[in-house]
Amino acid sequence: MVRDSIKAEVKNLNFFYGNVQALKNINLDILEKRVTALIGPSGCGKTTFLRCFNRMHDLYPHNRYEGSIILKPDDIDIISPNIDPIEVRMRISMVFQKPNPFPKTIFENVAYGLRVRGISNKKVLAEVVEKSLRGAALWDEVKDRLDKPAFDLSGGQQQRLCIARALATNPEILLFDEPTSALDPIATSKIEELIVELKNNVTIIIVTHNMQQAARVSEYTAFMYLGEIIEYGKTEKIFTAPSEKLTEEYITGRFG
Amino acid sequence: MNELKKRIKYNKFLSSIFLIIGLLSTLVGLFLLTVLFVDLFIDGYPRLTYKFLTSFPSRIPEKAGILSAWVGSFLILFVTALAAIPIGVAAGIYLEEYGRKNWITNIIEINIANLAGVPSIVYGLLALGLFVYFFKFGESILTGGLTLALLILPMVIMATRESIRAIPNSIREASYALGATKWQTVQWHIFPYSLGGILTGIIIGLSRAIGETAPIITVGALTFIAFLPSPPITSDFPFLSFKWLFDPFTAMPIQMFNWVSRPQKEFQVNAAAAGIILMIMTLIMNGLAIYIRYRFRKKIKW
């Protein structure tokens, strides 16, 4: 079997909200074109960890990173102050917990990432919008109403629109922050199928509260507790034969 | 059981007392306003003619009109809008989106809120010193417009900030997450989504400005003007003239004030008629504000 190649290397990552340390000495490798799930009880730091990957923490004052996240293949440290967070966000996209489309048309929502990059050629935009909507399994549902407001869509469709928006810029890593927590079971299963589909082309990190979801969509799982990675490994192993007692207790529902 | 029923009855009785107090309070306000408007209308109705709008003031009450007054009000408001809107909106956006939240911005914030409550005559005195004596703009339309711009600036800033604050943070994060800069986020999201609220604030500010008397008397509005400012469009190159900015002016509330202070009873009728016109102007502006708010709310929902 060919060894998976590494997409990002997290080394000794610490993160602070002011004086509060939210992440403690995190070390882990994110593998290319695989789905890595971050699980753990509320407040364990999984979303905080995820938001380090696109420097979302830089939007708010008093946040501080230590350590490094090395992005392959060009070996840049994406949390280094010398790296512009805008460059990081252009290479690593994010899908949020609650669908957050812009109050614009469906077309403009998907095209936004390109507009930010200064692309305004109508033909190029139209091509990318179609490709991204197909990629997000939404094209057939919206192709006749691209000029309609995004808010006319259902919650699940809105979330897939957000995925299309994130895909439009060809990200190297796609971050999902509990993408289905606001959706009904049918919409959830569509998004899960989509995630499994997407990993053929892009590296995915997903935060989820739902352990079945982690088991269904991911190849690798990291279990976090109180800002630390307790256990990280193949999803199968984490869910069937965890080596840490804490992981086992969480997975079997004894706490969390 | 009976005890319980008694208790409920008593509670409901207390509840209905406020209903009556509230209703009466509402009616008092509404009633007084209606009486005021009807009274003004009855007084001024005889003078409400087309000629009244197109005549200059005169010593003879029947010949006097409000041409120079409404033209003056209109031009002043134009200058006010041109000055207050860009500055106020830019300041509001800066304070909400760019300024870091620290003690300096807190002090600025408190000051802006306080400025909105400063008596308008104080703005008049400030403007007299600044625009008339220091910048030598004279007792002109430019001075009057800038004075009222100062007056409504805090309102525009606050309206801008309020409507920006109503935008959920998730929208900002969505934009930043795609690699947008601050300005791209403001230009494509923050500004367009808050425009409805900003416009509403601007119009309410302007409709307050149109009725202000004290500050423009202070900066030297004339009470009797029988000519119009120089036309902004000329027949010679470059066809645009800004001479009108430096012409003396009068405005609707000043014309009214002037007529009210005359001893002859006929002038009181003129004042009432001018009052009706001023009130209609304000109502139209407020109506416009409500309409704009309605349009934008319908278009953008969260």
Side-chain angles (χ1 to χ4, degrees):
Chain A
M1 202 182 106
V2 188
R3 268 200 62 180
D4 293 331
S5 60
I6 293 172
K7 183 63 201 168
E9 246 175 55
V10 182
K11 286 187 202 156
N12 304 323
L13 174 68
N14 289 296
F15 180 79
F16 302 84
Y17 289 113
N19 294 321
V20 183
Q21 183 164 10
L23 297 177
K24 289 169 195 157
N25 198 33
I26 290 185
N27 285 283
L28 120 182
D29 293 339
I30 301 290
L31 298 168
E32 187 158 20
K33 295 186 181 169
R34 293 288 175 268
V35 179
T36 305
L38 305 175
I39 61 168
S42 299
C44 71
K46 35 189 204 308
T47 295
T48 304
F49 182 34
L50 189 78
R51 287 163 70 95
C52 289
F53 283 91
N54 66 345
R55 299 274 295 269
M56 273 324 241
H57 298 300
D58 290 46
L59 294 176
Y60 307 97
H62 313 304
N63 292 340
R64 189 158 53 86
Y65 311 87
E66 272 174 16
S68 57
I69 300 179
I70 308 292
L71 189 67
K72 307 284 181 180
D74 52 350
D75 284 323
I76 62 160
D77 176 7
I78 56 176
I79 57 168
S80 147
N82 302 323
I83 299 291
D84 192 336
I86 290 177
E87 183 195 334
V88 176
R89 292 179 199 138
M90 284 196 169
R91 296 174 60 174
I92 299 177
S93 288
M94 186 168 201
V95 175
F96 294 82
Q97 188 169 357
K98 260 173 62 186
N100 58 352
F102 301 125
K104 294 181 185 285
T105 63
I106 293 170
F107 185 92
E108 280 306 321
N109 263 281
V110 183
Y112 181 64
L114 301 177
R115 295 214 185 269
V116 164
R117 287 157 176 75
I119 299 166
S120 55
N121 181 315
K122 280 206 177 107
K123 215 176 133 230
V124 175
L125 288 179
E127 273 168 23
V128 175
V129 167
E130 175 170 350
K131 187 167 153 264
S132 313
L133 284 169
R134 281 187 194 281
L138 190 61
W139 174 252
D140 290 330
E141 291 160 64
V142 301
K143 63 182 176 205
D144 303 321
R145 44 175 175 149
L146 293 175
D147 56 343
K148 291 281 180 319
F151 281 110
D152 288 357
L153 300 174
S154 71
Q157 288 174 323
Q158 285 184 21
Q159 193 61 306
R160 275 180 284 147
L161 181 68
C162 293
I163 295 174
R165 182 172 70 186
L167 284 175
T169 52
N170 268 328
E172 296 169 41
I173 301 179
L174 195 48
L175 310 170
F176 286 91
D177 184 5
E178 297 185 37
T180 60
S181 62
L183 304 179
D184 65 70
I186 293 169
T188 298
S189 71
K190 275 191 186 158
I191 302 259
E192 286 180 8
E193 281 166 28
L194 183 57
I195 290 171
V196 173
E197 185 75 22
L198 285 174
K199 72 166 186 220
N200 295 320
N201 300 309
V202 60
T203 307
I204 290 171
I205 308 175
I206 177 171
V207 164
T208 177
H209 249 114
N210 179 332
M211 279 178 281
Q212 286 80 14
Q213 184 169 71
R216 282 192 296 264
V217 304
S218 70
E219 279 102 357
Y220 292 87
T221 296
F223 169 62
M224 292 181 72
Y225 185 63
L226 300 176
E228 285 178 273
I229 301 267
I230 305 295
E231 193 170 350
Y232 175 53
K234 289 247 183 201
T235 301
E236 266 171 55
K237 182 171 176 304
I238 298 273
F239 280 95
T240 54
S243 31
E244 298 289 327
K245 199 160 176 296
L246 213 54
T247 315
E248 190 190 330
E249 282 178 2
Y250 181 70
I251 284 165
T252 51
R254 249 169 282 170
F255 83 101
Chain B
M1 216 47 199
N2 249 344
E3 200 58 24
L4 196 65
K5 280 204 173 104
K6 252 191 196 161
R7 188 71 222 177
I8 292 172
K9 216 172 171 187
Y10 177 69
N11 285 352
K12 281 191 167 173
F13 168 71
L14 284 187
S15 179
S16 60
I17 285 182
F18 181 76
L19 178 76
I20 292 163
I21 295 174
L23 193 66
L24 281 178
S25 315
T26 314
L27 288 180
V28 165
L30 216 60
F31 177 73
L32 284 178
L33 271 178
T34 314
V35 167
L36 212 66
F37 192 72
V38 169
D39 183 53
L40 198 66
F41 197 78
I42 293 171
D43 287 350
Y45 184 72
R47 292 290 292 131
L48 273 184
T49 57
Y50 180 68
K51 229 181 118 241
F52 185 65
L53 293 176
T54 53
S55 308
F56 288 109
S58 157
R59 275 179 298 118
I60 305 146
E62 291 75 27
K63 283 192 176 168
I66 55 168
L67 180 63
S68 49
W70 72 257
V71 170
S73 272
F74 180 80
L75 290 175
I76 289 170
L77 223 53
F78 182 69
V79 174
T80 303
L82 233 51
I85 294 171
I87 296 176
V89 172
I93 290 176
Y94 172 80
L95 286 172
E96 274 311 302
E97 294 296 315
Y98 286 78
R100 288 203 160 228
K101 304 282 173 280
N102 54 27
W103 63 273
I104 300 175
T105 39
N106 276 340
I107 288 178
I108 292 177
E109 188 167 346
I110 293 167
N111 271 309
I112 289 173
N114 279 336
L115 280 178
V118 168
S120 56
I121 185 112
V122 176
Y123 282 99
L125 289 173
L126 170 74
L128 183 67
L130 190 66
F131 300 133
V132 180
Y133 295 131
F134 187 77
F135 286 120
K136 307 256 188 299
F137 289 158
E139 296 161 353
S140 60
I141 290 174
L142 183 62
T143 301
L146 291 179
T147 307
L148 293 182
L150 280 185
L151 185 78
I152 68 165
L153 202 53
M155 297 169 78
V156 177
I157 294 175
M158 290 209 290
T160 305
R161 299 189 65 179
E162 288 298 323
S163 47
I164 286 177
R165 257 181 238 168
I167 298 172
N169 211 28
S170 62
I171 294 289
R172 285 181 190 87
E173 290 198 340
S175 172
Y176 288 126
L178 287 160
T181 59
K182 217 158 226 185
W183 173 243
Q184 285 173 325
T185 305
V186 166
Q187 179 189 5
W188 278 319
H189 305 289
I190 305 301
F191 182 65
Y193 305 159
S194 57
L195 193 58
I198 293 175
L199 286 175
T200 311
I202 287 170
I203 293 173
I204 288 172
L206 287 179
S207 59
R208 171 162 173 213
I210 200 176
E212 275 298 337
T213 323
I216 46 178
I217 287 184
T218 320
V219 296
L222 299 182
T223 48
F224 188 95
I225 288 194
F227 55 87
L228 285 180
S230 347
I233 297 165
T234 56
S235 50
D236 312 317
F237 190 79
F239 307 113
L240 276 179
S241 156
F242 293 100
K243 203 172 157 289
W244 60 271
L245 277 174
F246 297 98
D247 286 338
F249 67 99
T250 187
M252 292 289 291
I254 291 175
Q255 186 64 67
M256 278 178 69
F257 175 70
N258 173 251
W259 279 333
V260 171
S261 55
R262 297 278 188 102
Q264 298 95 318
K265 193 147 185 312
E266 293 79 2
F267 277 115
Q268 311 293 324
V269 179
N270 285 4
I276 295 170
I277 304 281
L278 185 58
M279 219 145 153
I280 290 171
M281 286 163 102
T282 319
L283 283 179
I284 289 174
M285 289 172 79
N286 281 326
L288 199 65
I290 292 168
Y291 176 71
I292 288 172
R293 187 160 45 195
Y294 165 77
R295 278 295 301 271
F296 276 83
R297 288 243 169 101
K298 217 171 64 170
K299 224 166 68 183
I300 293 169
K301 45 194 168 186
W302 304 113

